[in-house]
Structure formats: C-alpha cells, structure tokens
Amino acid sequence: MPPHLSADRPAAQPPRHGTVDALISQTRRLRGEVDAVRREAPADDEDAQGRWQRALCNLALHQLNDLDAHLAQLRDGPPEVPVPSSATTAPRSAPAAPRHGSLLSRVGSAEWNFLTDEVSWSGEFYQILGRDAAAPPLTLDELPSLVLDEDRPMLTAMVTDCLIDAKPIDGEFRIVRPDGGVRTVHMMGEPVLDADGSTASMWAVLRDVSELRRSQRTVGETGETLQHQRHVARTEHRLAVELQEAVLPPWRGSLRLPRRGTGALDVAAHYLPSSTSTLIGGNWYDALELPDGETLLSVGDLTGHGVTVTSGMAMLLGALRGMAVAGTRPGQLLSWLNQLLDTTVQPALGSAVCCRYTPATRTLSWAQAGHPAPLLFRDGTGRALTAPDGVLLGATSGAVYGQAEESLRVGDLLLLHTEGLVPPLSGTPLPGEAESRGGAAAVQRLLDLAPRFGEARTAQDCIRMVVEECGGTEREDDACVLIARIGS
C-alpha cells in the first residue's frame, strides 16, 4: 500500500539498495542463461518438443523481464501520482513517461478516495488502459465500461466485496482499449479504513499480463500437442508390437517343428529391439515346415519403423509363406517378392535371405536379396556361405535372383541374421567395420563363437551365446537371429 494512503499506518521502510541491486543482477544473469537455453532449442516448427521448450523459455523470459522491472521500481521508490482536484477534473499535468523502458508500462497504480471523491491514476495506469493522459481518471462506477461484457460481473463483484466486506482485490479481466485492442490485466488492491472502520478509499495496482498469458497458452497448446503425439506414438508402438507378435514365431525357446525324422532341425530364434528408438522395425525371422517335408528358413528386414513398416513386413512374410507352401524355390520366390514390393502403394526397400532345407538329402537351397549370407559352423569352425547374385527387394523392377545349394552334415549349425545384429565396436574400427555394420568385422565376431557353439547341446543354447555377445551393446536398429542345428 502506498504510504500516503493512510495516516494511521507507519510508512514503509525503503528497501536497501544494495540488496535490491544484487537481486537485479541475479535476475539479469538468470535471464541471459534462460535466453541461451531458448536459442539452443530446436528451431524446426514441426518439432513439437522444440516448440514446447521454446514456449517455456519465452514464458520464463517474460516473467524475468517483469521481475527485473519490478525490482527497479522497488529500488527507485513509488511513481509519482498526480492528484486531481476532483473525480471529474483532469490531472494538472500529464503523467511522466516510464523511466525504465516499456516493461514498466505493464504496472500502474490508482487510488479512489471516497471522502473527497478524488481519483488518482499513475501514468502507467493510463498507458495500460490506453487512455489519453490528459483525460480525467474514471470513477469505480465508470471503470467497468472499459471491460469486456463477460468479465464485468467479476470486476463488479471484486470491487463490491472490497468496499463492503473489506476483502482484498485479486483477479484478472480483459479490457478493450480505444484502438480496439484487447488486453488481459491483473488487478490487486485493498480498502483503506478510517478511524471508525468505514472504507475511506481503495487503492489498486494494475498489471498488463497479456504477453504472459499468451506465452502460457502457447506452453499449454504445445504441451497438449506433444502429449497427443506421445499418445499416438505409444498407440502405434503397441499396434506394431501386437502385429509383430501375431505374425512372427515365438522366440522364447526353440521353434516347434512337429515332424521328426532323418535330418530333422533344431531351430531357435531371438529378436533384439533397438536401444535408441521405441519404434518397431521391419525385421522378421521364420521357420516353417512345408507340405513336402522340407523346411523354410528365412530372415529379412524392411526399411523403416512403425506400424506401416510392420504391416508391410507382415504382408511380405505372408506372401513368402504362401509361395513356399506352393513349392516355389528360393530364387523365384525372391523375384516375386520383389515384384510385390515394387507394386505396393508405399514404396520400400528390403533385404532377405530365403532357405529351403531338404531333410532327406540334408541339402540347403538358398537365395538372398542384398542380405548377409548364412553362416555355417562345422567341427568348431565357421564360415559364410558364398552368396548368389541378388539385389535389394524393391530396388529395381524385374530383378532376377540366383540360387545356391549347400550339402550339410549331422551336427552342422546354420546362423541367419539381419544386418544390425552386431553393432560396431567402440574405439578404432577394424578394417571393413566402418563401412558396414554387417561387414567383415561384424561377421567375424559371430564366427569367433564357433568353439562355443561346438559345446552347445541345443540351438537355444547357441542363441543365448549370441545374445550374450551382441545383446548388451547399444544398437541403432532392431535385429534378429535364427539358428538351425542339423539332427541325425
């Protein structure tokens, strides 16, 4: 409360300038640090996270700017308030312009004296309301004429409660300035009581909080957008996971191949999610017994992430199974998969390796489309099979895929994997490793497991070894591995 409003109250002690100056310095330093954070926020308007960060920083800057101005006012003392001779008489001189820049125009003070019918407004009060400084200040009965119709009842109720029940004023309302602009203001005030307890006057301070509220709305809107995007992402992730689990064989344990006989396979697989993305990729693995007694083994990867890619993977895997059941050989099968991918609405690229195992002769027929070759482990050593020709699926129309055959023995172990199974090693890359995660160094890490594979009893034991070797490191993409062991 300004000290001149009540003779019964002790005058407020002026603040210690050293303390206030120190607070001003701290505020300005903090303002600079917040501004630096704002500049570092992503500038892409499509990035909701970046927009939200910038909006929060702008809101904090608005508040720090106001705090700086308020502290300056506190240090310099209350502004001069011209006192007219009556409520209907204009001030004798125009209010002084703000001394600390435009920010101070956001805060003004006023007093309505009911004993003398005098009204006094500070220059800042005039500026907030957009009124001519030479015009007389408005009485409390006239003040609602500046307020939006829907906000008038609130202002009237606050003033009435203050005058009748001596309640403090503390609320916001919107005013319409003479130029048609609408501003949001925050008014705080108290009644001043005379000796017999009746209301002698009312004082108030008015603050323009339009920019502050605009910044808060921006924060809220961008926060809601970000929350919606996160909800959509969680929903898409759940759908992708459910779709993936619906079409891929279970990887917890050995894959079930009901038929048993000469050359039967012991098969196990594992899926390793990305450690840097919550989105599901288009990796797949499959082991399927065919009507003629042969077994289909395949792994592949459709580029991209999310529900669209997962559904595309499901389409390819369904087509692969259907053509394999119909007796299509691996090379021709990949040619038709390439044609299918080439005609889809959303073009995509994919890699795959497709194997058809004949247990009666222990023969493996296989083809690949831009994919790492299967690894063959035998007698404690391992090697990559020599790959036939084959380009990525979807890369070119009418592609032809070669086919190779490999004779297998009892106890042999086949390892099929997608390219991201072995992430690059930290530190200086080995020769060939910098060019491709599925390069020579990555393959060699898998081949080095050959002695341990020789001691394993089941394909699932071998899968555990691969996961121990490759599963603990960060990977940028999903990956999967399938191991098939040739039985007697």
Side-chain angles (χ1 to χ4, degrees):
M1 177 185 307
H4 68 279
L5 295 181
S6 175
D8 297 330
R9 300 192 178 191
Q13 294 298 318
R16 289 178 296 176
H17 289 270
T19 301
V20 176
D21 286 338
L23 290 173
I24 291 174
S25 297
Q26 293 176 12
T27 300
R28 293 175 180 176
R29 182 170 59 254
L30 180 58
R31 184 175 58 191
E33 293 173 355
V34 172
D35 189 48
V37 174
R38 179 181 62 85
R39 291 196 300 269
E40 293 174 359
D44 185 3
D45 288 338
E46 299 299 322
D47 184 354
Q49 179 78 26
R51 292 200 308 273
W52 181 69
Q53 290 175 353
R54 293 198 305 275
L56 278 178
C57 288
N58 288 334
L59 177 59
L61 287 173
H62 278 309
Q63 294 170 324
L64 289 170
N65 285 337
D66 286 347
L67 178 59
D68 183 21
H70 298 164
L71 288 172
Q73 281 184 320
L74 179 62
R75 177 190 60 193
D76 298 338
E80 296 181 0
V81 180
V83 181
S85 58
S86 69
T88 58
T89 302
R92 298 184 184 275
S93 60
R99 289 170 292 172
H100 300 287
S102 60
L103 284 174
L104 290 189
S105 66
R106 294 179 182 169
V107 182
S109 61
E111 181 185 1
W112 291 267
N113 191 313
F114 307 119
L115 300 180
T116 63
D117 288 333
E118 292 178 338
V119 181
S120 57
W121 286 2
S122 70
E124 292 85 1
F125 207 95
Y126 275 93
Q127 290 180 357
I128 292 174
L129 299 181
R131 304 270 299 174
D132 184 352
L138 301 182
T139 67
L140 285 178
D141 291 333
E142 296 170 329
L143 188 62
S145 65
L146 306 180
V147 180
L148 284 181
D149 292 345
E150 52 265 41
D151 291 354
R152 286 177 188 169
M154 179 180 60
L155 175 61
T156 301
M158 287 193 302
V159 172
T160 301
D161 290 343
C162 180
L163 299 181
I164 296 178
D165 299 326
K167 292 183 178 179
I169 289 177
D170 188 354
E172 292 184 9
F173 49 90
R174 290 164 295 171
I175 60 168
V176 181
R177 293 161 58 98
D179 60 5
V182 177
R183 307 295 292 179
T184 301
V185 296
H186 185 188
M187 177 180 278
M188 297 182 66
E190 290 183 357
V192 180
L193 306 180
D194 58 16
D196 61 5
S198 60
T199 302
S201 64
M202 188 189 88
W203 69 271
V205 292
L206 195 69
R207 180 186 179 204
D208 186 339
V209 294
S210 302
E211 297 301 325
L212 181 62
R213 296 296 172 253
R214 186 177 295 113
S215 295
Q216 288 175 330
R217 287 195 298 272
T218 302
V219 169
E221 290 168 359
T222 54
E224 290 174 0
T225 300
L226 187 60
Q227 185 177 14
H228 174 70
Q229 290 182 347
R230 287 172 176 169
H231 174 71
V232 171
R234 287 194 297 268
T235 301
E236 290 185 350
H237 180 267
R238 185 181 69 253
L239 291 175
V241 169
E242 291 175 354
L243 181 59
Q244 184 190 62
E245 292 178 346
V247 298
L248 294 184
W251 50 264
R252 294 177 177 84
S254 298
L255 304 184
R256 296 184 62 186
L257 300 177
R259 296 177 183 173
R260 292 291 175 182
T262 302
L265 295 179
D266 173 21
V267 182
H270 193 85
Y271 174 84
L272 294 91
S274 166
S275 58
T276 60
S277 173
T278 59
L279 297 177
I280 299 296
N283 286 262
W284 85 79
Y285 60 87
D286 197 25
L288 178 67
E289 282 191 340
L290 303 174
D292 58 6
E294 297 185 355
T295 300
L296 172 71
L297 303 174
S298 71
V299 297
D301 181 12
L302 195 62
T303 57
H305 296 85
V307 175
T308 301
V309 172
T310 309
S311 60
M313 175 272 291
M315 176 196 70
L316 285 183
L317 185 54
L320 187 153
R321 289 171 174 171
M323 289 185 285
V325 167
T328 306
R329 308 307 295 176
Q332 183 62 57
L333 192 154
L334 290 182
S335 295
W336 286 346
L337 281 185
N338 178 71
Q339 183 177 350
L340 176 64
L341 198 60
D342 188 47
T343 57
T344 55
V345 176
Q346 294 183 337
L349 292 175
S351 68
V353 60
C354 179
C355 306
R356 195 174 179 114
Y357 174 67
T358 305
T361 60
R362 298 192 180 93
T363 302
L364 184 76
S365 301
W366 70 285
Q368 62 84 28
H371 199 88
L375 305 182
L376 174 61
F377 295 86
R378 176 183 294 168
D379 299 331
T381 62
R383 63 180 176 90
L385 300 184
T386 302
D389 292 337
V391 299
L392 287 170
L393 298 173
T396 182
S397 300
V400 176
Y401 294 84
Q403 183 171 300
E405 290 191 354
E406 188 77 24
S407 296
L408 303 178
R409 304 176 188 174
V410 175
D412 282 355
L413 188 143
L414 282 172
L415 187 152
L416 282 61
H417 66 95
T418 55
E419 201 169 51
L421 177 64
V422 184
L425 291 171
S426 59
T428 304
L430 297 174
E433 188 172 10
E435 287 74 20
S436 172
R437 291 179 299 173
V443 171
Q444 188 59 50
R445 289 180 63 185
L446 295 173
L447 294 177
D448 289 343
L449 295 173
R452 297 176 60 188
F453 285 163
E455 299 173 357
R457 294 178 299 174
T458 65
Q460 183 61 29
D461 290 339
C462 296
I463 287 290
R464 293 192 187 97
M465 296 175 187
V466 173
V467 173
E468 290 174 0
E469 174 68 21
C470 306
T473 53
E474 291 189 358
R475 64 188 70 256
E476 296 180 0
D477 200 359
D478 302 0
C480 59
V481 56
L482 182 147
I483 291 179
R485 190 172 184 177
I486 312 301
S488 57

